[in-house]
Amino acid sequence: KAWLDRARAGWGAGYGPTHPVSLQLVLAGALLAGAGGDWARAERGFADLLALKEAMFGPDHLDVSDALANLGAAQTNAGNLEGARTSLERALVIRERELGPDNLYVGHTLANLSAVYSRLGRFEQAIDASRRALAILGTTRGERHHDTMVGHAVFAEVLESADQREQALGEFELALELAGEVGSPSQQLEFRLQI
């Protein structure tokens, strides 16, 4: 935070609000808030960034999808699930159009959206989004990659929330197996506890 405050003091007044340096300062502030667990402040920061990018590029630009994806993550963590759903669905539409339906960033967006759908009780949408995310992550990253491990864990959580425990167990077992290769000790423990 001290370094960000120094950067704002040194650069903040020298550039307009839509200058790339100014946008980076807004992004850094929102990321820092999220890293510190202040999700309400992170949500406000990402909302500010989204407004700036929409003013610069229009509502359907790829750069806008990045702001939407970050905003959706902050909204999820802040408990604003309907806001997160709206943000992530918008990001998904832009990313599918601009990057193609099987792009890594489409997969990440689908994984995040599936968790939101699950928390909203929209289990059919959650399972569809999670299954698609896992397929994309496995194709783009490979079956033995950290992102794919997380994809299995997200799918398992969605299935468990939808009361499909047997399938969820299989996904948790796959996540645990991968965690032994590409995960952290805390992830190994988390997945083991689910089994």
Side-chain angles (χ1 to χ4, degrees), residues 62 65-66 68-69 87-115 117 125-126 128-141 147 151 154:
L62 190 57
S65 78
D66 294 340
L68 284 164
S87 296
L88 292 168
E89 285 177 347
R90 273 190 66 199
L92 181 63
V93 168
I94 295 169
R95 287 177 167 182
E96 285 180 318
R97 186 189 64 241
E98 297 296 321
L99 301 172
D102 298 321
N103 181 273
L104 174 64
Y105 294 105
V106 170
H108 286 165
T109 308
L110 283 163
N112 291 333
L113 189 54
S114 72
Y117 284 149
Q125 286 178 292
D128 289 345
S130 191
R131 185 176 281 126
R132 188 169 162 223
L134 184 56
I136 292 169
L137 294 171
T139 299
T140 58
R141 289 297 209 187
D147 283 358
V154 169

Side-chain angles (χ1 to χ4, degrees), residues 155-177:
F155 192 27
E157 290 168 3
V158 164
L159 290 166
E160 186 173 51
S161 295
D163 207 27
Q164 297 185 22
R165 298 190 196 294
E166 190 172 320
Q167 285 182 280
L169 180 61
E171 291 298 322
F172 277 125
E173 287 173 346
L174 287 169
L176 177 60
E177 178 188 334

Side-chain angles (χ1 to χ4, degrees), residues 22-95:
S22 298
L23 294 176
Q24 286 298 318
L25 292 172
V26 174
L27 174 63
L31 290 170
L32 185 61
D38 189 346
W39 291 108
R41 195 167 113 226
E43 183 178 355
R44 289 191 302 273
F46 287 125
D48 291 344
L49 183 63
L50 174 62
L52 290 168
K53 286 192 171 191
E54 285 177 323
M56 288 176 63
F57 302 119
D60 298 319
H61 193 277
L62 190 57
D63 278 1
V64 169
S65 78
D66 294 340
L68 284 164
N70 282 324
L71 176 59
Q75 289 168 318
T76 301
N77 286 299
N80 179 2
L81 297 178
E82 278 300 330
R85 181 191 60 77
T86 299
S87 296
L88 292 168
E89 285 177 347
R90 273 190 66 199
L92 181 63
V93 168
I94 295 169
R95 287 177 167 182

